[in-house]
Structures are given as C-alpha cells and as structure tokens.
C-alpha cells in the first residue's frame, strides 16, 4: 500500500487482508474427483495415472481457494449472466432447492443493491454434516455453505449462512476492506446485508 508492505500474520480465528492479484493454479486430483475453485477452469488434462490436472484462472481476486471430493455432484443455475454452481454431497441432495433458491435470491438483491457482480461464476460448496468447522467461509467466487447437520435449533440455518457468505462477495472480496485493521466493516456489512 502507500506506506509499504502490509503483511499481517494469519490468525485462525480472525479475518485476513490481501491485495488484488491474478492466479493461475494447477490442481491435480484423482480423476473421479469433482473440483470447485476460485475463478474459472481453463483446461483439464488426463495424466494417464488415474489423475487429472485442472487449470484455473482468476483475475482481480484477493485470494484463491479450492475444494474437491469424489462425492460431490454439481448443479448450475444461471442468474444475471453468472453461473451459480452448487457442489453438493450426495447425502444432501434434498438441499438443492433450498440452497439454490437462497443463493439466487441473495445474489439478485445484492446485484441490485450494491452493483453488478463482475465475475462469471460463483461456486457454493456443501460441507459434510460433521464438518461444521468447514462451513460458512468466504473466498472470492467461492463460498462454503453451512452444515445441513448443524444442531442450531434454527430450521433455515443453511440458507442464512449461504446468504451471509454470498454477501461477502461484495463486503470483502470486491470492496476489499482491510479486515486485519477493521474487521467490523466486513462482517458488519455482510450481517446487515443478510438481515436486509
């Protein structure tokens, strides 16, 4: 930044700060794995050893994340010329309508309220019922959903988490608050958007 390098250490229970960059990432997985990642897949190559390598390209992003599983199934819904991709686990097939409807509704409203989403894809990743720690996280063009097995006592917990995490596409990933110095801005605007 203007004053030089801004190199905050990563802490597991806090947010992070990063500058915008371009990512070209090669991910090699067993060939039966379904992969979701920041940005867009550009090529996939079978390696001849029961693996394949997928290349992802992401421009103007503050981070890169990916997920892979042999149990993922993929469904896509097109909204505002953007592909909303839901990678769900087979045991959560009953979540398709719930998560896609929540994703579409929040995505349309955030586009209307805060400006058009500038990327071609947004991936929503399902997490295992016993993987609550993996749910509810935001990355540029990829979010993890709330665990459908979470025992919160709240019937629509998974939808609320998805709506909140999609809000982070604006309030962190695009606006790029410095969360290390002002974490309340990122979470505050995402919470406000969720409630709105």
């Amino acid at each position: 930044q203007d004053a030089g390098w801004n190199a905050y250490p990563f802490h597991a229970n806090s947010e992070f700060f990063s500058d915008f960059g371009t990512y070209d990432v090669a991910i090699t997985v067993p060939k039966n794995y379904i992969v979701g990642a920041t940005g867009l897949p550009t090529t996939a190559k079978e390696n001849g050893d029961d693996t394949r390598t997928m290349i992802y390209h992401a421009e103007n992003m503050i981070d890169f994340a990916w997920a892979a599983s042999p149990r993922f199934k993929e469904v896509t819904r097109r909204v505002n010329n953007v592909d909303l991709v839901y990678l769900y686990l087979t045991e959560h097939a009953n979540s398709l309508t719930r998560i896609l409807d929540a994703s579409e509704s929040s995505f349309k409203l955030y586009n209307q309220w805060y400006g058009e989403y500038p990327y071609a894809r947004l991936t929503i990743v399902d997490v295992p019922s016993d993987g609550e720690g993996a749910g509810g996280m935001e990355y540029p063009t990829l979010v993890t959903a709330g665990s459908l097995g979470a025992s919160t006592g709240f019937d629509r917990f998974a939808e609320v988490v998805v709506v909140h995490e999609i809000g982070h596409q604006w309030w962190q990933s695009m606006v790029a608050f410095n969360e290390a110095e002002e974490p309340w801005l990122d979470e505050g605007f995402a919470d406000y958007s969720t409630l709105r």
Side-chain angles (χ1 to χ4, degrees), residues 6 10 36 54 62 81 89 92 158 168:
N6 197 335
F10 175 78
M54 301 181 68
I62 61 168
N81 295 317
L89 297 165
H92 295 156
H168 279 298

Side-chain angles (χ1 to χ4, degrees), residues 1 6 8 13-18 138 168 170-173 175-191:
Q1 292 184 301
N6 197 335
Y8 292 98
N13 292 319
S14 69
E15 301 291 354
F16 54 91
F17 174 72
S18 185
E138 70 277 2
H168 279 298
W170 282 261
W171 310 118
Q172 181 231 27
S173 292
V175 174
F177 294 125
N178 185 334
E179 295 176 281
E181 291 179 2
E182 303 287 354
W184 67 275
L185 286 170
D186 173 55
E187 290 301 333
F189 278 102
D191 280 344

